[in-house]
Amino acid sequence: MKNPKNTSDALEKAMNAVFALCGFLAVAFVLMITAFLVISGVPAIGEIGITDFLFGRVWASTAAEPQYGILSFILTSVYGTAGAIVIGVPIGLMCAVYLAKMSDGKNAGIVRTAVDLLSGIPSVVYGLLGMIIIVPLVREAFNLPDGANLFSAIIVLAVMILPSVISVSETAIKAVPKEYEEASLALGATKTETVFRVVVPAAKSGILTAVVLGIGRAIGEAMAVMMVAGNVANMPRLFRSVRFLTTAVASEMSYSSGLQRQALFSIALVLFMFILIINLILNLVVKRGEKNE
Amino acid sequence: MKKFMTMLLAVGISAAALAGCGGTAGTTNGATQTVSTDGSTSMEKVIGYLSEAYMAENSGAKITYNPTGSGSGIQAVSEGRCDIGLSSRDLKPEEAETLDATVIAIDGIAMIVNPQNPVSDLTIEQIGKLYTGEIANWSEVGGGDAPVVLIGREAASGTRDGFESITGTEDACKYTQELTSTGDVVQTVSTNPNAIGYASLASVKESVKLLSVEGITPTTETIQNGTYKIQRDFVFVTPKNKELSEAAQSFMDYATSEAADEMIEKAGAVPIKR
C-alpha cells in the first residue's frame, strides 16, 4: 500500500539532508583550511623558533645561511593597512553621506553604479594601473629615485577598500531613523552639523563594521600590492620598497622547497590569524551595535 | 546525531585533503614510456616547451619534471632517481667523472636600462658593483648625476640565480624592487629613467635600451660563440656507465635536434650552434 504522504515526507527529509550537507560543506572548508595551515605552518615556526620567526628583522630565504624573520612583513602589512584606512575611510564615509543624504536620485544613481563597478574591478587591474600611473607619479612628486614603495601601495589599497566602506556605511546611515535628523534640523542645526553630530554618531556601529571590512580587504590583498610595493624585504618606511605578508607568500611559493616552503606556510598562518582576529572584532562590533539598538 | 555525522564528514574530508598533499611525486622509472627529469628551476620554461612539443608528437610518451635545483638534479641522476638531470651550470670535475653533460640551450641574460640613460656599455665588474650598491650614482659609470635604481627578480627566480652567479653577487644585491616576472622588469625599467634591470634576451622590448657588456652586444650570435659574457648553459646530465632508456634517449635526441630550436627560442633561451 502506497501512501502519497509518506513519499513526500521522504522527499522532504532527503532535501533537508541535502540543504544541511551544503550548509556544513562551508564549515568543512573552513576547518580544512585551518587544519591545513596549522599542520603545514607550525613545524617551520618550531624549527626557526617563534621569536626568531615573528621578531626577526632579516628575511633571506635563499641565502647560504637562510634567515627567516618576518617582522618586516608584519609591520608592513599593519602600516599599509592603517594607511589605507586613514586615507580610504574618510573619503568612503563622505561619499556614503553624499549618497544617503545629500544627492538627488539621478546623481546618486551614477555614483552608486561607479562604486559598484569599482568593486568589480579585478585586483590585477588596480595593480597594473598603480604600476603604470601611480608609481611614476609618486617618484616625480616626491623626487625619489623610485616610486615603488609603501606609499604607492597605501594609495592603491585606499582605492580598493572604497567600495566596501561606501556600501556598508551607506546602509548604516540610511538605517538611522528619520526622526533624529528631523529633530536636529528643527532645533536649528544645519545639514552639515546634523550629519556629523547626529547621523554619523547614530550609525557608528555600522560605520565601524565598514572600517573592519576595509581592514580585512586591505590586509588580504596580494596581487595589486605586489605590483606597486617593490617587494624587497626591508623594514617599512613610507618611501621605501617593502614586502607585505601576502606578497611574501605569493612571490616565493612557486619554486620554494624544504624549510623555505614551510616558512611560507607559516607566514600564511600568521596572515590567517590576523584575518581571524579581524573577523572576531567584526562580530563583536556587530553584536554590540545590535545590543545598543 | 545529525551534527555528529556532519562533523565526521568534515574531519574525513580534511583528512583526505591532507593525505593528498602529503603524497610525494615519485619518479616513475618503471614505465618504459615515462621520462623523468629533475633539476634546475631556471630550465622550467625550456623543459615545458620541449616536453609539450615532444608529447604532442609522441602520444605514448610522458615527460615529468621535478623543479629542485641544479645541484639536486645532478645528484638525482647520479643516484638513478631520474632519467635526465637538468643543470643550469657546468659539471664540476668530480661530477664529470661519472656523468655526461649535453648542452641543449644557452640562457642569455640581457642588461637593460631606460632609453633616456646615456650609458650604453658596462663591464661585468661595474654591473657587480652597481648591484651590490658600491656604485650608487650613474655618474660613476659615465651616466648623468642620478641615483641607480636596481630592478631584479624574486629570490626563487632562475634568471636572478643566473645573473647573480655570473656577476658574483649572490645574496649581496641591494635591490630597489624585486619583481615576479620578466615583463614587470621590462615595464618598470621603461618607466623609470634611473633603473637598470636584467631579463632573458628574448623578452627585451623596444621600450628599453639593451646594454652591451664588455663591448659586446647580446645577440643570438654573440651568445652562441660565447663572446657575450652574461650567459650560461642549460645542460642535460646523463650517467656515463648506464644506457638511457629508449624513451629518454628519444627525448634527448629530440631536444638536441634542429626541430627543438623553435621551442627553445619560444621559451626565451638561445639554441646551440650546430
Side-chain angles (χ1 to χ4, degrees), chain B residues 1 38 50 52 56 66 75 96 106 129 159 172 177 181-182 202 215-216 219 229 239-240 259 269:
Chain B
M1 185 60 198
D38 187 321
L50 284 178
E52 207 169 288
N66 194 10
Q75 201 176 351
I106 311 167
K129 281 185 176 167
T159 312
Q177 286 198 48
S181 82
T182 304
I216 311 285
T219 60
K229 291 296 174 217
K240 260 186 182 151

Side-chain angles (χ1 to χ4, degrees), chain B residues 37-54:
Chain B
T37 66
D38 187 321
S40 171
T41 54
S42 323
M43 288 169 72
E44 192 226 3
K45 272 180 109 177
V46 169
I47 284 297
Y49 275 94
L50 284 178
S51 56
E52 207 169 288
Y54 180 78

Side-chain angles (χ1 to χ4, degrees), chain A residues 20-21 24-25 28 31-32 35-36 39 61-64 131-132 135-136 139 145-148 226-227 230-233 241 243 251-252 254-255, chain B residues 2-3 6-7 9-10 13-14 17-18 21 41 44 67 147 149 151 154-156 160 171 175-180 184 187-188 191-194:
Chain A
L21 184 70
F24 279 101
L25 212 55
L31 287 179
M32 251 164 65
F36 178 75
I39 289 170
S61 57
T62 52
M131 190 175 186
I132 293 169
V135 168
R139 189 188 76 232
D146 189 38
M226 186 141 82
M227 295 170 86
N231 306 328
V232 180
S241 175
R243 200 185 290 182
S251 68
E252 288 188 22
S254 49
Y255 289 133
Chain B
K2 205 187 263 170
K3 231 179 198 168
T6 34
M7 277 301 286
L9 184 78
I13 291 175
S14 33
L18 288 170
C21 294
T41 54
E44 192 226 3
V149 174
I151 309 298
E154 82 280 11
R160 167 158 159 178
D171 305 327
Y175 290 111
T176 321
Q177 286 198 48
E178 291 177 27
L179 301 172
T180 47
D184 286 355
Q187 165 65 33
T188 304
T191 53
N192 188 332
N194 305 323

Side-chain angles (χ1 to χ4, degrees), chain A residues 114-162:
Chain A
V115 170
D116 287 345
L117 273 177
L118 203 60
S119 70
I121 294 173
S123 58
V124 65
V125 175
Y126 282 104
L128 198 64
L129 288 180
M131 190 175 186
I132 293 169
I133 298 168
I134 293 174
V135 168
L137 218 64
V138 166
R139 189 188 76 232
E140 272 158 35
F142 297 96
N143 198 17
L144 303 164
D146 189 38
N149 50 38
L150 183 58
F151 185 72
S152 300
I154 286 175
I155 291 183
V156 170
L157 285 176
V159 178
M160 291 185 78
I161 64 169
L162 277 181

Side-chain angles (χ1 to χ4, degrees), chain B residues 85-105:
Chain B
L86 309 173
S87 171
S88 46
R89 62 169 170 81
D90 293 328
L91 292 181
K92 291 174 187 159
E94 67 268 22
E95 289 165 348
E97 279 172 22
T98 55
L99 299 169
D100 273 328
T102 314
V103 178
I104 59 144

